[in-house]
Amino acid sequence: MMTSKEIRKAFLDFFASKQHKIVPSAPMVVKNDPTLMFTNAGMNQFKDIFLGNEPAASKRVADSQKCLRVSGKHNDLEEVGHDTYHHTMFEMLGNWSFGDYFKKEIIDWAWEFLVDVLHLDTSRLYATVFEGAKDENLQPDEEAKGYWLKHLPADRVIMGNKHDNFWEMGATGPCGPCSEIHIDLRSDEERAKLPGVKLVNQSHPQVIEIWNLVFMQFNRKADGSLEPLPAKHVDTGMGFERLCMALQGKQSNYDTDIFQPVIQEISRLTGIKYGAKQETDVAMRVIADHIRAISFAIADGQLPANAKAGYVIRRILRRAVRYAYTFLGQAEPFMYKLLPVLRSVMGEAYPELVAQKDIIEKVMVEEETSFLRTLETGIRLLDKVVEQAQKAGKKEIDGKTVFVLYDTYGFPLDLTELILKEKGLTHNQAEFEQELNAQKERSRNDAKIESSDWQEVNSFSTEEFTGYDETASEVKIWRYRKVEAKGKNFYQIVFNKTPFYGEMGGQVGDCGYIEANGKKTYITDTQKENGLSIHIVKELPEDLKATFHAVVDAEKRAAIERNHSATHLLDEALRSILGTHVEQKGSMVCSDYLRFDFSHFSKMTDEEIARTEQFVNEKIREGIALEEHRDMPIKDAQALGAIALFGEKYGDKVRVVKFGDSIELCGGTHISNTGRIGFFKIITETAVAAGVRRIEALTGKAAEEYATKQCAITSALKLMFKAKTEDDIIKSVEALVADNAALKKQIDVLEHEKLAGVKDALIAKAQNINGVNVIAERVSVGNKDLLKDLSFQIRQQIDNAFVVLGALFDGKPLISVIMSDNLVKERGLNAGAIVKEAGKEILGGGGGQPFYATAGGKNPDGLDKAIAAAKAFVK
């Protein structure tokens, strides 16, 4: 039986023998394509070639690509773990032809690899072919069918519809008919009862697609029409996990040697046997799948966060933690313990898992710990909801409350359902769905972008970037399109050449203007999309055919360049001062400041920050000239010692930026000499995530203004404290803080002495109503904590206490209700319900526990009525 490592190698070796260049996997996290967050197909890294924006360095290419599918068109997340073949992160074995071979060659090679190399049983194989589509005037793919009939009998070559056999990259872009290869993995007995042809593309778990051969022939335009591509391409993708299942004779991807080592480690750590129970099996499969997606994302530089790609990763991680918590009894961080086994399975093919193991582990532990706290909070909140429902005799929780738990507190819906079921309750699913759909609609509207088709003005094949050498160029418009986003219209323009830098690699895009015939059109931003610089304008110039003078805002560009070059010096400084474990984890370079994220496992000390600033400023004073190497072979750059970033995609040729000992692979713009940075000043050093720190800093004029302002503050403090030196200021402030603390203590003593008198006076006013000692008064105390303290002291001192106190703090009313436990248990009184009702009088609300609750409001004139309303609950 072939191992997964042997299968992956066999694929790459086979296509290498067919003159394909074997390339490394692109990062799973996409950084410079606004249309994608994650690589969801093997062809993503070649999209610019298919679109005609970039020439192919090699006509034939093959690789094993790490992919992630959890949202949008390919939303598989909720199925993962429940079936045998869906995954979040998966490997796609792929080969490509860029205008070289076409249908005949790839069909013959696919058969040769599967049958002659891997020795799959030919009687189990089926091929599907596009049947055509009359609505688009697309003819059946008789050519592909003819080639398949050389290998398969006619009854196993199946004509498929547009949904199954016409592949599209998205709503627009390259597309074409495809031919899928399916395999029937059922037993001989099952196959005899029902032929596999009846189950192809019917979602049967043992009759599955393993390889898709896409014949790129068309471009889908924004109006839905199709136009032929200039050249025909082949794009194939084979699910690695499914192929391993077929070759290893398994009935599930999770039974292969890709997943079993991790699943067996989960079993060992939890003491639960895999295969013993459906719900624990699902939990183990979820965790075994999700830990791969999380680890690869972090290795590629994407940390869990609350937005965009970071939110997707956090959602995957939390789903895994939830299954471990609910079904495997793991109430402590657990998943990070599986990482050594994952590295043993995949670390050889993907060395980034080994190189980034420390950061992956630390981030995972922190995220697990944080979400376990969230689960505890959610359970406490849900317990209160359940308690209130049971007291009110309700059997159903409203959907809005469940949605708040889900949306605001991150509490999973299925866990809510499980707890409610245990308590004999349900929730209003229709209301929940209504709230969820409303939120999704808001998100869709916020993110909705509609683009028209590109309109070609002049015919060009490539775009030239001149911005490394100049900030002004003579340009012509290649093409443009209209875009609508958030109800606003603007235009995107591509030139034949441009001095404008498109946002990429952490550096913001340039702005400026183009001018022709004495009229200026202002460029508000420049983005990078599909390998092209996209210039954003509010209105199109009058004469689209004119030659334009394109001018970058030179002052803003210079500020950006100062910050970018300073970022390189900062990286060098941190590696020198903190250690070579420091690696860049993200950056943002704009004209105002720079932000630099880096791996380090503790807060920097004041001394380390000072040494870092000193290091960078010394490099600035040295006036080191920029050494730039364009189109350097990647191997030569590595030999030079250039720093490459994990999670970045590099081609065969790279650009190297060198300032003395600082050598980095970088596509951004830089100053010509470090002396032009002027001055460097760190303004903050904070934590971003476990093992990741963030520095924000200023350079040039901004740093100078910051220093001047700090000096002015120091001078004002000297004058205020009559200090001669900075040390005298510190001593004076320390003395002031100490005096303030001492005075606070004295005030606290006086307040509590006063409180004792107030307490005694209130107890003396207590009324006995229906056997309850009632106190309902307005009081004057120093702060909210004292009001709470007063309430609890009275409760402790008298039996059957029902105490309502009202007070004003900064002109705003607050009411508190506290009572003895027996009033809650025997009389059914609930402080939370009482303040909710009484709070209406002060135009506010609140809550708390059954025996103690508070409500704040906006209407001080209603305070006495609120106290009376609360008191009435006893009457």
Side-chain angles (χ1 to χ4, degrees):
M1 182 181 75
M2 293 180 75
T3 66
S4 56
K5 293 178 182 179
E6 291 169 340
I7 295 167
R8 187 189 294 112
K9 184 176 184 300
F11 176 85
L12 298 176
D13 288 348
F14 176 81
F15 280 99
S17 74
K18 304 298 183 185
Q19 291 75 54
H20 285 64
K21 180 181 180 182
I22 308 303
V23 298
S25 169
M28 192 174 73
V29 180
V30 179
K31 296 183 180 175
N32 294 316
D33 184 345
T35 66
L36 281 175
M37 287 193 292
F38 301 101
T39 297
N40 61 11
M43 59 78 62
N44 289 159
Q45 67 169 307
F46 307 114
K47 192 163 69 167
D48 293 345
I49 299 173
F50 289 127
L51 290 167
N53 298 334
E54 181 183 299
S58 303
K59 292 285 188 180
R60 300 180 179 188
V61 172
D63 76 355
S64 178
Q65 172 67 50
K66 48 190 179 182
C67 301
L68 186 73
R69 291 183 183 176
V70 289
S71 58
K73 179 182 175 183
H74 303 287
N75 190 345
D76 295 335
L77 183 58
E78 294 311 316
E79 296 176 40
V80 172
H82 290 275
D83 62 20
T84 61
Y85 54 90
H86 274 108
H87 302 289
T88 51
M89 182 267 168
F90 61 96
E91 289 185 72
M92 184 76 82
L93 303 177
N95 63 285
W96 291 268
S97 164
F98 304 118
D100 187 14
Y101 60 81
F102 204 47
K103 296 180 183 179
K104 179 182 185 303
E105 292 84 352
I106 186 52
I107 289 173
D108 286 346
W109 288 342
W111 186 263
E112 180 184 349
F113 179 65
L114 293 176
V115 176
D116 297 344
V117 176
L118 299 184
H119 307 296
L120 284 175
D121 182 350
T122 59
S123 70
R124 294 178 176 270
L125 297 177
Y126 297 82
T128 64
V129 176
F130 181 48
E131 67 182 8
K134 290 181 180 180
D135 59 327
E136 299 204 58
N137 198 29
L138 292 171
Q139 300 303 309
D141 194 349
E142 296 293 345
E143 181 185 3
K145 180 179 178 181
Y147 295 136
W148 276 119
L149 289 174
K150 293 191 327 183
H151 305 293
L152 286 167
D155 64 339
R156 285 196 274 129
V157 179
I158 306 163
M159 303 306 285
N161 59 28
K162 189 165 68 174
H163 176 268
D164 292 324
N165 283 92
F166 194 87
W167 194 91
E168 306 207 39
M169 187 171 70
T172 60
C175 56
C178 64
S179 186
E180 297 176 341
I181 302 170
H182 294 250
I183 188 166
D184 186 349
L185 300 175
R186 295 175 301 153
S187 66
D188 291 338
E189 292 77 12
E190 289 178 292
R191 292 168 65 207
K193 292 176 185 176
L194 182 66
V197 69
K198 299 284 189 183
L199 298 174
V200 169
N201 277 328
Q202 298 302 311
S203 299
H204 192 285
Q206 268 77 54
V207 183
I208 56 172
E209 172 202 339
I210 55 170
W211 204 346
N212 191 9
L213 316 179
V214 180
F215 313 121
M216 293 283 198
Q217 297 177 240
F218 304 104
N219 179 49
R220 174 77 70 184
K221 299 173 72 175
D223 63 5
S225 62
L226 295 171
E227 62 181 7
L229 287 173
K232 294 178 179 179
H233 311 294
V234 169
D235 162 25
T236 88
M238 177 154 52
F240 177 62
E241 292 80 7
R242 295 184 181 189
L243 180 63
C244 290
M245 176 174 70
L247 287 168
Q248 294 179 3
K250 306 298 183 182
Q251 295 295 299
S252 165
N253 290 357
Y254 293 98
D255 292 338
T256 66
D257 67 347
I258 303 171
F259 291 98
Q260 272 302 301
V262 176
I263 287 174
Q264 293 306 319
E265 182 66 1
I266 296 170
S267 176
R268 186 186 71 80
L269 291 171
T270 61
I272 299 171
K273 186 178 179 181
Y274 183 66
K277 195 175 180 182
Q278 174 66 11
E279 64 181 21
T280 55
D281 286 356
V282 169
M284 291 185 192
R285 291 196 292 266
V286 166
I287 295 164
D289 172 274
H290 289 9
I291 195 170
R292 303 194 326 155
I294 300 157
S295 299
F296 275 100
I298 296 171
D300 279 350
Q302 181 57 65
L303 300 174
N306 287 329
K308 298 182 180 179
Y311 173 72
V312 175
I313 299 307
R314 176 164 284 166
R315 183 178 164 213
I316 295 171
L317 190 149
R318 290 186 165 190
R319 185 172 186 257
V321 174
R322 171 166 54 86
Y323 271 88
Y325 178 90
T326 306
F327 300 107
L328 303 180
Q330 299 303 301
E332 298 291 333
F334 155 78
M335 292 199 342
Y336 75 96
K337 298 175 184 177
L338 305 172
L339 292 172
V341 177
L342 179 65
R343 289 194 295 270
S344 71
V345 175
M346 304 191 75
E348 183 181 330
Y350 299 100
E352 61 267 33
L353 288 180
V354 178
Q356 300 290 302
K357 64 184 180 70
D358 291 340
I359 189 75
I360 294 170
E361 180 176 322
K362 288 186 179 293
V363 170
M364 199 172 287
V365 170
E366 183 179 83
E367 284 290 316
E368 285 190 81
T369 303
S370 173
F371 187 54
L372 287 166
R373 283 198 298 267
T374 296
L375 289 177
E376 290 175 4
T377 302
I379 288 170
R380 285 198 299 270
L381 290 168
L382 187 57
D383 284 344
K384 290 180 183 178
V385 171
V386 168
E387 183 182 352
Q388 290 172 359
Q390 289 174 334
K391 284 186 176 179
K394 295 180 180 178
K395 291 293 183 182
E396 181 182 81
I397 306 297
D398 67 272
K400 288 184 179 180
T401 299
V402 175
F403 181 75
V404 169
L405 280 168
Y406 169 81
D407 187 52
T408 305
Y409 297 98
F411 199 70
L413 175 62
D414 55 0
L415 190 52
T416 297
E417 291 173 332
L418 187 67
I419 293 171
L420 291 179
K421 186 178 179 181
E422 290 173 353
K423 304 289 185 180
L425 298 171
T426 61
H427 75 284
N428 190 318
Q429 181 66 21
E431 281 184 6
F432 177 86
E433 291 291 343
Q434 186 177 349
E435 294 292 320
L436 182 62
N437 291 333
Q439 184 206 51
K440 286 181 177 179
E441 187 63 28
R442 289 192 296 270
S443 299
R444 273 194 294 268
N445 291 337
D446 289 342
K448 189 176 182 181
I449 298 176
E450 292 185 359
S451 303
S452 63
D453 285 319
W454 286 106
Q455 305 297 314
E456 190 166 284
V457 177
N458 293 289
S459 182
F460 298 104
S461 58
T462 58
E463 172 198 68
E464 178 189 359
F465 176 62
T466 62
Y468 292 141
D469 304 310
E470 59 189 17
T471 54
S473 302
E474 303 304 307
V475 307
K476 295 185 77 67
I477 294 177
W478 176 0
R479 57 192 185 185
Y480 73 91
R481 68 181 176 188
K482 185 178 181 179
V483 178
E484 181 181 346
K486 295 184 179 180
K488 295 182 179 179
N489 295 325
F490 57 91
Y491 294 87
Q492 297 178 337
I493 300 177
V494 178
F495 302 116
N496 64 322
K497 62 179 180 178
T498 180
F500 288 83
Y501 183 85
E503 182 172 336
M504 185 172 60
Q507 179 175 329
V508 299
D510 284 329
C511 57
Y513 64 87
I514 55 173
E515 184 175 14
N517 305 319
K519 295 184 178 179
K520 292 180 179 179
T521 300
Y522 287 92
I523 293 172
T524 58
D525 193 12
T526 309
Q527 299 288 326
K528 205 75 173 176
E529 183 177 324
N530 297 326
L532 297 175
S533 297
I534 308 294
H535 306 78
I536 313 298
V537 297
K538 292 181 179 178
E539 298 291 340
L540 289 171
E542 290 180 4
D543 184 3
L544 296 172
K545 289 280 189 179
T547 297
F548 295 89
H549 185 55
V551 181
V552 174
D553 184 329
E555 184 178 347
K556 191 172 182 180
R557 163 73 81 82
I560 293 169
E561 290 180 344
R562 282 193 294 271
N563 284 331
H564 200 158
S565 298
T567 300
H568 284 218
L569 299 181
L570 173 60
D571 192 6
E572 182 190 3
L574 292 171
R575 290 172 63 83
S576 173
I577 292 163
L578 301 181
T580 55
H581 66 279
V582 168
E583 290 180 355
Q584 181 176 335
K585 292 299 174 185
S587 69
M588 202 278 283
V589 178
C590 63
S591 57
D592 297 327
Y593 69 101
L594 67 90
R595 186 180 72 212
F596 186 74
D597 297 345
F598 59 99
S599 56
H600 187 56
F601 302 121
S602 61
K603 178 178 172 61
M604 290 178 69
T605 65
D606 291 342
E607 181 190 359
E608 287 169 339
I609 291 173
R611 287 174 60 198
T612 301
E613 289 178 331
Q614 182 182 5
F615 184 103
V616 174
N617 283 311
E618 283 177 357
K619 296 294 181 182
I620 292 170
R621 289 192 293 273
E622 285 179 29
I624 304 168
L626 166 67
E627 288 183 46
E628 179 195 14
H629 302 276
R630 300 180 196 172
D631 297 322
M632 176 178 274
I634 184 75
K635 289 184 179 179
D636 293 348
Q638 290 167 340
L640 193 64
I643 295 175
L645 303 181
F646 279 101
E648 292 290 342
K649 173 190 170 187
Y650 297 106
D652 294 333
K653 300 288 183 70
V654 294
R655 179 168 176 260
V656 176
V657 171
K658 185 175 185 293
F659 289 107
D661 294 331
S662 169
I663 311 170
E664 297 197 18
L665 303 183
C666 181
T669 61
H670 289 270
I671 42 94
S672 59
N673 185 292
T674 60
R676 294 188 58 197
I677 298 173
F679 180 49
F680 172 84
K681 180 66 181 173
I682 293 173
I683 53 174
T684 63
E685 191 274 346
T686 56
V688 177
V692 180
R693 307 295 300 178
R694 170 173 291 172
I695 281 177
E696 292 185 355
L698 304 173
T699 65
K701 187 179 179 181
E704 181 185 327
E705 289 173 349
Y706 178 82
T708 300
K709 186 176 180 180
Q710 296 301 306
C711 288
I713 292 171
T714 302
S715 297
L717 289 171
K718 277 184 179 179
L719 192 63
M720 187 183 298
F721 289 108
K722 297 182 175 59
K724 294 181 179 179
T725 67
E726 286 76 10
D727 288 342
D728 290 340
I729 294 174
I730 294 170
K731 290 176 182 176
S732 297
V733 171
E734 287 174 344
L736 185 64
V737 170
D739 290 346
N740 189 49
L743 287 170
K744 279 185 176 180
K745 285 183 179 179
Q746 292 177 23
I747 291 170
D748 190 47
V749 170
L750 292 171
E751 288 279 9
H752 278 87
E753 287 176 356
K754 178 185 173 184
L755 202 66
V758 173
K759 179 194 67 175
D760 292 341
L762 288 171
I763 291 174
K765 292 181 180 180
Q767 297 176 278
N768 190 297
I769 301 175
N770 298 328
V772 179
N773 291 314
V774 178
I775 296 172
E777 297 286 339
R778 180 195 282 243
V779 296
S780 176
V781 293
N783 55 57
K784 295 176 183 178
D785 288 338
L786 288 171
L787 183 66
K788 181 179 179 181
D789 191 13
L790 178 61
S791 299
F792 274 81
Q793 284 188 37
I794 296 172
R795 179 179 182 264
Q796 286 179 337
Q797 200 159 332
I798 61 176
D799 296 328
N800 296 330
F802 183 88
V803 183
V804 183
L805 300 179
L808 295 177
F809 299 106
D810 297 324
K812 293 182 180 180
L814 181 75
I815 183 173
S816 79
V817 174
I818 195 167
M819 66 187 80
S820 299
D821 290 337
N822 63 301
L823 299 184
V824 177
K825 296 174 183 176
E826 297 170 9
R827 302 208 182 191
L829 294 175
N830 186 299
I834 293 170
V835 299
K836 186 176 180 181
E837 188 64 31
K840 294 176 182 178
E841 299 291 346
I842 54 174
L843 303 180
Q849 300 173 68
F851 78 94
Y852 173 70
T854 61
K858 303 174 185 176
N859 177 27
D861 295 334
L863 184 58
D864 291 332
K865 289 183 179 180
I867 294 170
K871 180 180 178 182
F873 275 82
V874 177
K875 293 180 180 179

